[in-house]
Amino acid sequence: MKRILGLDLGTNSIGWALVDTDENGNPVSIYKSGSRVIPMSQDILGDFDRGNSVSQTAERTTYRGTRRLRERHLLRRERLHRVLHLMGFLPVHYEESIGWDKEDNPTFAKFLTDTEPKLPWHKNTEGEYEFLFKESYDEMLADFKKNQPQLFRVRKNGQESLIPYDWTIYYLRKKALSQPIRKEELAWLILNFNQKRGYYQLRGEEEEENPDKLEEYHALTVIKVTADEPQKGKLEIWYNVELENGWIYRRTSKTPLVDWEGKKKEFIVTTGLNKDGTPKTDKDGILKRSFRMPSTDDWMLVKKKIENDIEKSEKTVGCYIYETILQNPNQKIRGKLIRTIERKFYKKELTDILNKQMEFHPELESTELLQECAKELYPQNEAHRSNLLKADFTGLFVNDIIFHQRPLKSKKSLISNCPYEYHTFYHNGERQINPLKCIAKSNPLFQEF
């Protein structure tokens, strides 16, 4: 007697049955049967029916990543609160909303329950919110009166401006590079840098230190387009696109590119580099250069374009934003003028600001105060405290708190030992064996062979 397993596969259930058959294969009886229902919500079932294979674990991973980013931001803010509190840089109304009792206090260096004040806004004696840095705001208004007089209206009770108070942060980021600012204003800047830190890919750290390629953004006008002879059996034709700086961009296209002539196109150009930083060339002495022409909404293109504009302006990010809105007040900043850019731009700006403000605030040069802050952050880690004391407050804020990035953890222990090859050595007269590691599954050689 034989048995046949029958399966009924549905979108969220599996029905099964074991059927007994005779010698000729005809069904005789059902030996066992049952079903397995997979609990799935209606929206997931709808995605499954439409062919969208998105797992629930992927969605949970996304939410978990968001929670971790928020927790790390709050941890950095807590550490900044502790340091700025010891330095005496926090405004009074801001300090009063933070718990400073260390003994079993879950709100130590954090905001008290149901309180999270804005640092530049405080309540006056009448209970109304008032901007704390009115002097700096008035200085900014003087700039806008010269460049944008149409933004000011004359009323019976005085002159009214259409300049938001929030723009003062960009004015202060520019002013702090050359002039003294108040302690509370500097604290506002430092906490603002904790929110906007820029993009940083840790896996690209080695490439940044020892680069083997240079990626640049270029917006170039097309001078001439010439087509090669079409190849038999192929619809695509190779085109030579001559650009205004003499470069030749070769690409294939099914449609003619004649309408490109005279138009400006955006490219991300990658140039190969030698170890000494010089451009690579082929056997004919021509530079090895590749072009990529992404779509206008490609985030990498937008990133390179913004970075290129900032580098051409030879200004910091804060100065670049302030000068732009000074000339064009209707310019949207977040998501338009500045989107994703490399962390190095923010890091350099904060470093320049702190180094300049050291000339005006003796607290930033106090070794005793730096030692007290290091002990506050690392009461048990004496070795790390010693390293912090070798630097200054700029190193503490920039490298240890705001832009600190832990190195990637090594997962070499998860790779199996090779059963065929090993190293031998002698320790205390005894022969020891140290096996080599197998190739990692993520290695391209493993995936190829």
Side-chain angles (χ1 to χ4, degrees):
M1 186 174 290
K2 296 182 180 180
R3 285 175 181 162
I4 297 176
L5 173 63
L7 296 175
D8 175 22
L9 304 180
T11 56
N12 65 327
S13 64
I14 299 175
W16 61 273
L18 276 176
V19 181
D20 291 329
T21 61
D22 56 18
E23 296 178 354
N24 298 324
N26 300 316
V28 177
S29 62
I30 297 177
Y31 177 69
K32 277 186 180 181
S33 65
S35 64
R36 176 73 175 181
V37 179
I38 304 171
M40 298 173 72
S41 59
Q42 192 61 41
D43 56 339
I44 297 175
L45 278 175
D47 286 338
F48 188 84
D49 292 336
R50 287 189 292 268
N52 300 332
S53 57
V54 179
S55 67
Q56 292 175 290
T57 55
E59 185 179 1
R60 290 200 302 269
T61 302
T62 302
Y63 287 129
R64 185 168 63 249
T66 305
R67 289 197 304 271
R68 285 175 177 171
L69 288 176
R70 179 178 178 274
E71 289 169 1
R72 289 166 185 169
H73 163 260
L74 295 178
L75 178 61
R76 291 193 305 270
R77 188 176 69 178
E78 174 197 332
R79 287 160 57 81
L80 284 174
H81 284 168
R82 294 162 70 180
V83 173
L84 294 172
H85 172 68
L86 290 174
M87 298 175 69
F89 277 35
L90 294 175
V92 176
H93 76 281
Y94 195 83
E95 279 210 355
E96 291 176 349
S97 301
I98 300 174
W100 298 113
D101 184 15
K102 288 186 178 182
E103 295 183 3
D104 300 329
N105 184 9
T107 61
F108 172 64
K110 302 176 184 177
F111 291 118
L112 300 175
T113 306
D114 298 330
T115 63
E116 188 167 342
K118 302 297 182 183
L119 189 144
W121 292 91
H122 73 107
K123 286 186 177 181
N124 56 21
T125 54
E126 299 176 357
E128 297 179 352
Y129 281 102
E130 191 176 46
F131 192 66
L132 191 61
F133 311 124
K134 199 72 168 57
E135 295 179 2
S136 298
Y137 176 72
D138 292 337
E139 293 174 7
M140 181 181 67
L141 289 185
D143 274 356
F144 276 92
K145 283 182 181 179
K146 296 178 184 177
N147 294 272
Q148 306 291 338
Q150 73 279 5
L151 297 178
F152 295 84
R153 298 181 296 191
V154 179
R155 296 287 181 91
K156 291 182 179 180
N157 56 352
Q159 196 176 48
E160 180 185 12
S161 71
L162 300 177
I163 310 299
Y165 286 99
D166 293 341
W167 285 2
T168 312
I169 189 76
Y170 305 117
Y171 172 74
L172 288 174
R173 284 168 67 174
K174 177 186 176 183
K175 179 182 177 181
L177 294 169
S178 56
Q179 304 174 47
I181 62 175
R182 292 168 52 186
K183 298 176 182 179
E184 294 82 2
E185 292 173 335
L186 183 57
W188 187 26
L189 293 188
I190 293 173
L191 289 168
N192 179 256
F193 275 98
N194 183 42
Q195 293 178 305
K196 286 286 184 180
R197 303 194 307 153
Y199 173 81
Y200 181 66
Q201 176 56 266
L202 188 61
R203 289 175 178 82
E205 185 177 9
E206 296 178 358
E207 296 179 5
E208 186 177 342
E209 295 177 356
N210 300 302
D212 57 358
K213 62 182 179 180
L214 174 65
E215 287 189 343
E216 298 175 302
Y217 164 83
H218 290 277
L220 302 171
T221 304
V222 177
I223 303 300
K224 185 179 179 182
V225 178
T226 56
D228 293 353
E229 291 294 330
Q231 298 180 3
K232 292 182 179 180
K234 293 186 177 180
L235 298 176
E236 295 182 342
I237 301 176
W238 279 96
Y239 289 89
N240 290 326
V241 182
E242 184 179 344
L243 305 174
E244 59 178 310
N245 60 354
W247 291 350
I248 303 297
Y249 167 47
R250 278 185 61 81
R251 64 162 293 167
T252 59
S253 178
K254 294 180 180 179
T255 58
L257 303 180
V258 182
D259 60 336
W260 279 25
E261 294 184 359
K263 295 182 179 179
K264 183 166 285 190
K265 299 292 181 179
E266 296 178 324
F267 303 93
I268 293 179
V269 183
T270 304
T271 306
L273 300 177
N274 297 312
K275 291 183 178 179
D276 57 357
T278 57
K280 290 183 178 180
T281 57
D282 57 16
K283 58 182 179 180
D284 298 325
I286 302 175
L287 290 178
K288 291 185 177 181
R289 185 182 290 116
S290 62
F291 293 79
R292 188 163 66 90
M293 190 178 169
S295 59
T296 54
D297 59 346
D298 185 279
W299 81 273
M300 181 60 73
L301 176 67
V302 175
K303 173 177 173 292
K304 289 291 182 183
K305 182 178 181 179
I306 296 173
E307 291 175 352
N308 181 71
D309 293 341
I310 295 175
E311 288 175 346
K312 280 187 176 180
S313 68
E314 297 182 350
K315 298 181 177 71
T316 61
V317 180
C319 289
Y320 174 74
I321 296 174
Y322 181 72
E323 294 294 338
T324 303
I325 59 177
L326 189 62
Q327 302 302 323
N328 181 17
N330 295 323
Q331 172 67 56
K332 188 177 184 299
I333 300 173
R334 292 187 178 182
K336 289 292 183 180
L337 180 62
I338 297 294
R339 287 180 64 181
T340 303
I341 60 175
E342 290 285 345
R343 181 171 296 176
K344 61 182 180 181
F345 291 94
Y346 292 101
K347 194 172 183 179
K348 181 181 183 304
E349 180 180 0
L350 181 57
T351 302
D352 293 343
I353 289 174
L354 291 173
N355 289 338
K356 186 62 181 179
Q357 293 305 307
M358 279 186 180
E359 302 175 8
F360 311 113
H361 299 291
E363 292 89 349
L364 294 173
E365 292 185 326
S366 172
T367 307
E368 294 78 11
L369 188 56
L370 178 62
Q371 186 174 3
E372 187 178 353
C373 292
K375 189 174 181 180
E376 171 68 27
L377 295 177
Y378 303 99
Q380 306 295 332
N381 194 340
E382 186 176 351
H384 192 67
R385 288 204 308 268
S386 301
N387 290 331
L388 290 178
L389 294 176
K390 295 177 182 177
D392 51 16
F393 270 104
T394 301
L396 176 67
F397 283 121
V398 175
N399 300 319
D400 194 75
I401 301 180
I402 296 181
F403 299 108
H404 172 71
Q405 188 83 27
R406 68 165 179 81
L408 289 174
K409 295 179 181 179
S410 172
K411 295 299 179 182
K412 190 177 179 181
S413 59
L414 301 180
I415 302 176
S416 302
N417 294 328
C418 179
Y420 307 110
E421 196 170 355
Y422 51 84
H423 290 154
T424 59
F425 63 95
Y426 288 87
H427 180 68
N428 295 332
E430 296 183 2
R431 184 172 178 267
Q432 304 287 338
I433 295 177
N434 184 22
L436 298 179
K437 290 290 183 180
C438 295
I439 192 170
K441 291 183 179 180
S442 60
N443 194 302
L445 292 175
F446 177 89
Q447 298 180 16
E448 181 177 358
F449 297 105

